[in-house]
Amino acid sequence: MTRKPRNASELPDRTPSRTPARSSGAAWLVSAAGTGLAALAMLVMAAMSAYGVINGEASTTTRALTEAAVLVVLAAGVALLAINLLRHKSLAKTPTLLWNGMLVPVSFSLISGGAKLFGVATLVVAVVSFVAALTLPRFDPDEDDGADAVL
């Protein structure tokens, strides 16, 4: 005759494992590289806008400086995503998917606007980064991967 457990601590643990499948380091690196490339491209565009103001090529100074400031802020946010992807922080997966998904219509706008080379390059980087980010593990609040620390 078997003895009945007296309390919950004596019961066998039948909870499923909450450890997510780990993706390869290559997926983290590809996602980080594509996202970092987008941040770098935005910084280059901000510099070009500022250069246009300095040389007097910009049609309106205020618009060009505002554009440069917005690009720098966006680049900083995207660079933080890339840094967190390099550190294997699962919390960066969803914003990375969103960012790369939003780059697809941007690439088609570039292609239809006459900048075919830049449009195709943007599309390739966005799709490759998106597919790589799909393989990353989802964020699990019960798992401590340090995702709550931004830097």
Side-chain angles (χ1 to χ4, degrees):
M1 185 168 175
T2 59
R3 179 176 78 78
K4 290 186 177 181
R6 288 185 241 187
N7 57 35
S9 65
E10 294 179 2
L11 291 173
D13 185 19
R14 291 199 172 106
T15 58
S17 173
R18 297 192 45 94
T19 307
R22 289 282 164 207
S23 61
S24 71
W28 290 101
L29 186 61
V30 169
S31 290
T35 306
L37 190 60
L40 183 63
M42 285 188 285
L43 286 175
V44 168
M45 288 188 290
M48 289 171 51
S49 246
Y51 182 76
V53 169
I54 292 169
N55 282 347
E57 296 170 0
S59 58
T60 60
T61 303
T62 305
R63 190 187 81 172
L65 290 177
T66 303
E67 177 183 315
V70 168
L71 285 167
V72 167
V73 169
L74 280 173
V78 174
L80 281 175
L81 279 178
I83 289 168
N84 283 309
L85 287 168
L86 281 175
R87 294 181 176 176
H88 296 214
K89 308 286 186 182
S90 60
L91 197 58
K93 177 184 180 175
T94 301
T96 301
L97 289 171
L98 180 64
W99 175 256
N100 287 303
M102 290 184 341
L103 282 180
V104 173
V106 170
S107 66
F108 286 116
S109 294
L110 286 169
I111 291 168
S112 67
K116 291 183 182 178
L117 181 64
F118 292 118
V120 170
T122 302
L123 182 63
V124 168
V125 169
V127 169
V128 169
S129 297
F130 186 89
V131 170
L134 279 176
T135 66
L136 301 178
R138 68 180 182 87
F139 175 68
D140 186 357
D142 292 334
E143 182 184 330
D144 184 23
D145 68 350
D148 56 344
V150 175
L151 289 179

